[in-house]
Amino acid sequence: AELKKASKRLSCHKRYKIQKKIREHHRKVRKEAKKRGCKKPKKDPGVPSAAPFREELLREAEQRKQRLEELKQKQKLNRQKEHEKKRKLEAKKNAAKIKEKAEGKESSGKSKAKPNKLLDKNSKKSFCRELKKVIEASDVVLEVLDARDPMGCRCPQLEQAVTCSGGGKKLLLVLNKIDLVPKENLEKWLSYLKKEFPTVAFKSATLMKDKTMEQPTKRRGRVDLSRTSECFGSKCLLKLLQEYGKTQNKAIQVGVVGFPNVGKSSIINSLKGVRACNVGLARGVTKSMQIVHIDKQTKMLDSPSIIADPSNNALALALRSIIDTEESGSADVLEGIDAILNHSSKQQVMMHYSIPDFRNTEEFLTLLAQRRGMLKKGAVPDIENVSKLLLCDWTGAKISYHSQPPESHRLPPYLTEDKIAEMQECFKLKNLEEGNTTTVQALKCPSPASSIIFQSADMTNGTIEENKVIEEASEWENMDTSKEGEEEEEEDFTESDDDQDNVEEEEKDVKEVNQVSSTLAPALVSLTHDFLFSESEHSSSLSFSLDKTADEDDAYDFNTDYV
């Protein structure tokens, strides 16, 4: 039996509706044409039969038509030629790329010597180079520590480099962000750290005027002064440095070093009284050495952050790594948050964020996302952005947490009693202690109950030597290099209009490229297939772990039904 065609009959309601829409559309088009002043093109009446020289006029019109058609044909052929040229050039470029890759693989094993290229400002090697410059140029090195986790902010490689460098270099410890820890805890840390190096209690000014910006004449809204912009400990530190400068009878250079987000640039700004250095929540804002004149006898050298060694534990990498949270992968961020939650008091974290009990990190982040209203389409919690925000809170100056100093005091292997005496030489330690006590008394600190108890890890290893840095090539760098390569190849393969005799050679090259591409095609297809499937499996596993709990894997989730 033959299948009947579907009927094209419509209900009257539908047919009339369509006709009405068409009428409305035509009306709208006519109205717009009227507004624009467009009129219907008048039909060509042609040459009247009674007109003189009618045949000549018609012949001329035909010739004009033929000329226009010929011109169109020529333009079409030119376009086709240009397309062919472009296609052949692209084929040549691809062939050259494949050859270069093959030659590069062969030569990489033989010759490793390559010309030194200029380092990118954001690269880790350039950070190490600038940091070394600061250490070499400075007479006194200030190692800035976060008062919430001073032991985790100490870098043994840096301390060893300064103490063993010779030339009378001094190392001072600066406990910054002291307004975020209880007073008792702060006093304990000061008494613990002063046994090794002279330690200064410091609290940077938060609201600073930018010296480069002109003051606006218009009246502005009120500035929120709920968080104090006053600086504590600046007088004590300046006095200590000036006294040391007098003993040396020369102008001194003071290098400020430390891990990211400890407040190096903020300390310089506080001592200067204006915003001389750029500061921000993002890690690695300072990319090169910057000199700031405090007075005639004192120069401050701002430095990039110390790079945390990849061999450190997850907690140290999460809090002290120079990589920005925007660039780092979601797995690394989740691992870092998991380490932070494991090292802090669960009850206090729940109270601080006002969330109920949670079993794991994923559940904590989902609860926090719901609490803060950070949801994606379909009320799915935005875990990626919440985790990045949480890391910024813990590295910034938002959360008050504190760690206890070790019960037994052990000197690191690079420090001896003689070295400690050498570092404390030429500093008036009594004046320093008095200054620290006045700073602590004047400061308003949080109560121990409101501050989260945090279990600190040991010192964080850092890489100072440029040779030891393992550079991770970013996608943006690869993009830039590929663009440069394309530009160079375009210059090499520019073709003049006179080179039309080499068409046969180009066709041969195209055939060779097609052969190469046919051999490479299955391998590329399999690679892309594996990559896509691995990506999809990874994403599906992540979403699955967030939606379902460990106990109820097969339970139906009613939240996933949407109307």
PDB file of all heavy atoms in Angstrom, residues 1-6:
ATOM      1  N   ALA A   1       0.843  -1.192   0.000  1.00  0.00           N
ATOM      2  CA  ALA A   1       0.000   0.000   0.000  1.00  0.00           C
ATOM      3  C   ALA A   1       0.879   1.243   0.000  1.00  0.00           C
ATOM      4  O   ALA A   1       1.823   1.323   0.776  1.00  0.00           O
ATOM      5  CB  ALA A   1      -0.892  -0.004   1.219  1.00  0.00           C
ATOM      6  N   GLU A   2       0.539   2.187  -0.872  1.00  0.00           N
ATOM      7  CA  GLU A   2       1.322   3.420  -0.957  1.00  0.00           C
ATOM      8  C   GLU A   2       0.954   4.364   0.187  1.00  0.00           C
ATOM      9  O   GLU A   2      -0.209   4.465   0.564  1.00  0.00           O
ATOM     10  CB  GLU A   2       1.041   4.134  -2.281  1.00  0.00           C
ATOM     11  CG  GLU A   2       1.618   3.376  -3.479  1.00  0.00           C
ATOM     12  CD  GLU A   2       1.374   4.122  -4.767  1.00  0.00           C
ATOM     13  OE1 GLU A   2       0.840   5.246  -4.712  1.00  0.00           O
ATOM     14  OE2 GLU A   2       1.714   3.578  -5.827  1.00  0.00           O
ATOM     15  N   LEU A   3       2.024   5.043   0.724  1.00  0.00           N
ATOM     16  CA  LEU A   3       1.797   5.999   1.808  1.00  0.00           C
ATOM     17  C   LEU A   3       1.219   7.291   1.262  1.00  0.00           C
ATOM     18  O   LEU A   3       1.679   7.821   0.239  1.00  0.00           O
ATOM     19  CB  LEU A   3       3.112   6.298   2.526  1.00  0.00           C
ATOM     20  CG  LEU A   3       3.702   5.156   3.349  1.00  0.00           C
ATOM     21  CD1 LEU A   3       5.113   5.512   3.728  1.00  0.00           C
ATOM     22  CD2 LEU A   3       2.864   4.922   4.601  1.00  0.00           C
ATOM     23  N   LYS A   4       0.182   7.781   1.924  1.00  0.00           N
ATOM     24  CA  LYS A   4      -0.452   9.036   1.497  1.00  0.00           C
ATOM     25  C   LYS A   4       0.338  10.226   2.011  1.00  0.00           C
ATOM     26  O   LYS A   4       0.898  10.174   3.107  1.00  0.00           O
ATOM     27  CB  LYS A   4      -1.873   9.103   2.031  1.00  0.00           C
ATOM     28  CG  LYS A   4      -2.826   8.163   1.307  1.00  0.00           C
ATOM     29  CD  LYS A   4      -4.257   8.360   1.819  1.00  0.00           C
ATOM     30  CE  LYS A   4      -5.223   7.450   1.091  1.00  0.00           C
ATOM     31  NZ  LYS A   4      -6.611   7.645   1.575  1.00  0.00           N
ATOM     32  N   LYS A   5       0.379  11.278   1.212  1.00  0.00           N
ATOM     33  CA  LYS A   5       1.064  12.502   1.639  1.00  0.00           C
ATOM     34  C   LYS A   5       0.249  13.201   2.716  1.00  0.00           C
ATOM     35  O   LYS A   5      -0.970  13.110   2.729  1.00  0.00           O
ATOM     36  CB  LYS A   5       1.238  13.449   0.454  1.00  0.00           C
ATOM     37  CG  LYS A   5       2.322  12.998  -0.511  1.00  0.00           C
ATOM     38  CD  LYS A   5       2.507  14.036  -1.607  1.00  0.00           C
ATOM     39  CE  LYS A   5       3.562  13.593  -2.585  1.00  0.00           C
ATOM     40  NZ  LYS A   5       3.736  14.569  -3.677  1.00  0.00           N
ATOM     41  N   ALA A   6       0.984  13.900   3.610  1.00  0.00           N
ATOM     42  CA  ALA A   6       0.295  14.628   4.689  1.00  0.00           C
ATOM     43  C   ALA A   6      -0.535  15.765   4.108  1.00  0.00           C
ATOM     44  O   ALA A   6      -0.119  16.453   3.168  1.00  0.00           O
ATOM     45  CB  ALA A   6       1.311  15.185   5.666  1.00  0.00           C
TER      46      ALA A   6
END
